[in-house]
Amino acid sequence: MFILSVLKDTVRLVPELFDKELTAALTSVLNEKYSGRVLTNVGMCIQVYDILSYSDCVLHPGDGASYCVVYFRLVVFRPFSGEVLTGRIVASDIEKGVQVSVGFFDNIWVPPCNLRQKAVFDKEENLWTNEIEPADEDEQMDPIRNYLEIQQEVRLQSIAITFDTTTKAPKAEPETFSPKSSGTSELPMKVIGSFIERGLGPVEWWAFQEEE
């Protein structure tokens, strides 16, 4: 789910930070810049893991701040292909499928083609459901519907990650996008998931088997 990514950046330290220990000051500035942002083709930044190295800090004429070139490692959210994630359903859409949130990231979608067999969309309830046919002796009964309810805990398998490079991002190096100002629904990073394999989907569906 999480990886460490090595980055290089030039950090501006304002005079108010001069009394702090240097690595602590650098970490504070970098966390403010990167935490909660998406780096294109890398992932969503969580926080600085450590500072690897930094140059001597220099002053620029007419600017009271100092500047350091820093190499550091970031904790990045980027599920690997095949990884199983646990989250909660936050939305249901007839075309997009089921949206899942893991708390800090909610642009996770299980498209209709990756739902379990016999999944149908109930337009009255505005929810996806799995229809189970009754046994032969009960063939007069309507199919049993197991709804994928909002806030239901689910497991999904990550099968792909896409980055929308057409989304406008703040000028930064490397290119980043912050949901803090634009809303998570516009995140240029999307995780595509699946409920198809055994044990995936609503946790409660499989709870009784895990207890046996």
Side-chain angles (χ1 to χ4, degrees), residues 87-168:
R88 292 190 180 275
I89 295 174
V90 294
S92 192
D93 184 270
I94 190 171
E95 295 182 355
K96 296 181 179 180
V98 174
Q99 184 181 10
V100 177
S101 172
V102 292
F104 57 89
F105 185 87
D106 62 9
N107 205 16
I108 303 173
W109 286 91
V110 180
C113 61
N114 290 342
L115 297 174
R116 301 190 70 82
Q117 291 183 351
K118 298 184 179 180
V120 295
F121 190 79
D122 188 325
K123 293 183 178 179
E124 292 185 1
E125 297 291 339
N126 200 34
L127 294 172
W128 280 94
T129 179
N130 284 95
E131 291 191 344
I132 302 176
E133 296 295 335
D136 293 341
E137 61 270 18
D138 299 323
E139 60 184 11
Q140 300 300 319
M141 296 176 58
D142 293 331
I144 299 171
R145 290 193 165 190
N146 288 330
Y147 284 95
L148 299 172
E149 303 277 0
I150 302 300
Q151 289 303 311
Q152 195 171 36
E153 187 178 24
V154 295
R155 294 193 191 102
L156 63 97
Q157 186 176 47
S158 171
I159 59 174
I161 296 177
T162 62
F163 292 91
D164 182 5
T165 57
T166 64
T167 302
K168 292 183 178 180

Side-chain angles (χ1 to χ4, degrees), residues 25-207:
L26 294 172
T27 299
S28 175
V29 174
L30 289 169
N31 274 331
E32 178 65 25
K33 177 176 180 179
Y34 287 97
S35 180
R37 293 176 179 263
V38 168
L39 274 63
T40 303
N41 296 324
V42 177
M44 180 177 179
C45 304
I46 305 300
Q47 65 179 29
V48 173
Y49 181 76
D50 59 8
I51 302 295
L52 297 177
S53 64
Y54 50 83
S55 67
D56 292 334
C57 294
V58 298
L59 296 174
H60 292 180
D63 188 346
S66 64
Y67 293 80
C68 297
V69 177
V70 185
Y71 288 87
F72 59 101
R73 290 192 293 180
L74 271 175
V75 178
V76 176
F77 173 69
R78 180 169 179 157
F80 59 82
S81 179
E83 183 173 5
V84 175
L85 308 178
T86 300
R88 292 190 180 275
I89 295 174
V90 294
S92 192
D93 184 270
I94 190 171
E95 295 182 355
K96 296 181 179 180
V98 174
Q99 184 181 10
V100 177
S101 172
V102 292
F104 57 89
F105 185 87
D106 62 9
N107 205 16
I108 303 173
W109 286 91
V110 180
C113 61
N114 290 342
L115 297 174
R116 301 190 70 82
Q117 291 183 351
K118 298 184 179 180
V120 295
F121 190 79
D122 188 325
K123 293 183 178 179
E124 292 185 1
E125 297 291 339
N126 200 34
L127 294 172
W128 280 94
T129 179
N130 284 95
E131 291 191 344
I132 302 176
E133 296 295 335
D136 293 341
E137 61 270 18
D138 299 323
E139 60 184 11
Q140 300 300 319
M141 296 176 58
D142 293 331
I144 299 171
R145 290 193 165 190
N146 288 330
Y147 284 95
L148 299 172
E149 303 277 0
I150 302 300
Q151 289 303 311
Q152 195 171 36
E153 187 178 24
V154 295
R155 294 193 191 102
L156 63 97
Q157 186 176 47
S158 171
I159 59 174
I161 296 177
T162 62
F163 292 91
D164 182 5
T165 57
T166 64
T167 302
K168 292 183 178 180
K171 296 297 183 181
E173 190 176 352
E175 184 182 8
T176 64
F177 179 92
S178 175
K180 298 175 183 177
S181 60
S182 301
T184 55
S185 63
E186 300 177 5
L187 275 175
M189 172 182 166
K190 180 191 293 184
V191 176
I192 307 299
S194 171
F195 286 162
I196 293 176
E197 296 296 330
R198 183 177 176 82
L200 303 179
V203 172
E204 62 188 44
W205 289 3
W206 305 97

